[in-house]
Amino acid sequence: MASVLGILFLLSAFAPVGNEQRPKVKYQYKGYLACSLSDSQQVDKLVFDELVLKPLCAKDSAGNQLKVESFNITWAERGLYQDSTGLPIIYTDYTVGSFNGDAIPTDWSESFRDRSYKGDTVYFDRIMVKTPDNKTQLCKPLKIVIR
């Protein structure tokens, strides 16, 4: 009986506590789409199509602009399909890309213009900037929902 209690004690000592949360990341810099949209925003399709033609940028808390060195895009493209019984279902296709520089490649901006639709979500993350002291720093990501 003592060995069972000992094993239970050891297991409970190394079990994660359910209420623990990861510490929030504090970003010194914020990423912007076309130097105008940041954080999480809803944008009309026509406005989004114009903004993706412009480069990303980053700003510090004082509003000073920094050059983006690289970034990732994750495009969650929602579509209406039918399941095997013919009932409609919404399915999300994910397209991911990693890019150097601050510009969204032409093929991506053309795809956004041709295929994006209301409800699609575009994430810009892993935005890396060159700081004034010539170091590379991670920026706060942004999320754009097309409406």
Side-chain angles (χ1 to χ4, degrees):
M1 181 68 161
S3 63
V4 172
L5 289 176
I7 291 172
L8 287 175
F9 173 76
L10 286 175
L11 290 176
S12 66
F14 295 105
V17 177
N19 294 337
E20 286 183 19
Q21 294 181 1
R22 289 185 177 188
K24 287 191 175 188
V25 176
K26 298 209 179 207
Y27 296 98
Q28 284 186 295
Y29 305 101
K30 209 186 254 193
Y32 287 81
L33 177 59
C35 290
S36 60
L37 294 179
S38 68
D39 297 324
S40 178
Q41 299 206 9
Q42 292 187 359
V43 177
D44 288 327
K45 164 118 172 79
L46 295 175
V47 172
F48 178 76
D49 290 346
E50 290 297 317
L51 292 176
V52 295
L53 297 174
K54 299 175 183 174
L56 273 71
C57 75
K59 296 179 183 178
D60 62 13
S61 59
N64 299 318
Q65 193 169 321
L66 298 141
K67 181 135 174 83
V68 171
E69 296 284 312
S70 64
F71 63 96
N72 291 351
I73 296 176
T74 302
W75 179 11
E77 188 177 6
R78 294 173 46 138
L80 185 61
Y81 299 94
Q82 291 182 350
D83 67 9
S84 60
T85 63
L87 295 173
I89 59 170
I90 294 175
Y91 186 78
T92 305
D93 289 317
Y94 292 91
T95 307
V96 178
S98 294
F99 309 102
N100 290 321
D102 61 356
I104 298 169
T106 305
D107 58 335
W108 276 73
S109 57
E110 288 174 359
S111 290
F112 286 137
R113 185 188 66 229
D114 296 339
R115 295 187 1 228
S116 65
Y117 190 72
K118 180 180 178 180
D120 287 1
T121 304
V122 181
Y123 301 92
F124 295 89
D125 57 2
R126 300 285 309 154
I127 302 169
M128 302 300 286
V129 296
K130 190 69 86 170
T131 63
D133 57 352
N134 213 24
K135 294 182 180 176
T136 304
Q137 186 83 23
L138 184 64
C139 289
K140 184 176 182 181
L142 60 138
K143 171 183 159 183
I144 308 295
V145 178
I146 300 172
R147 59 177 171 156

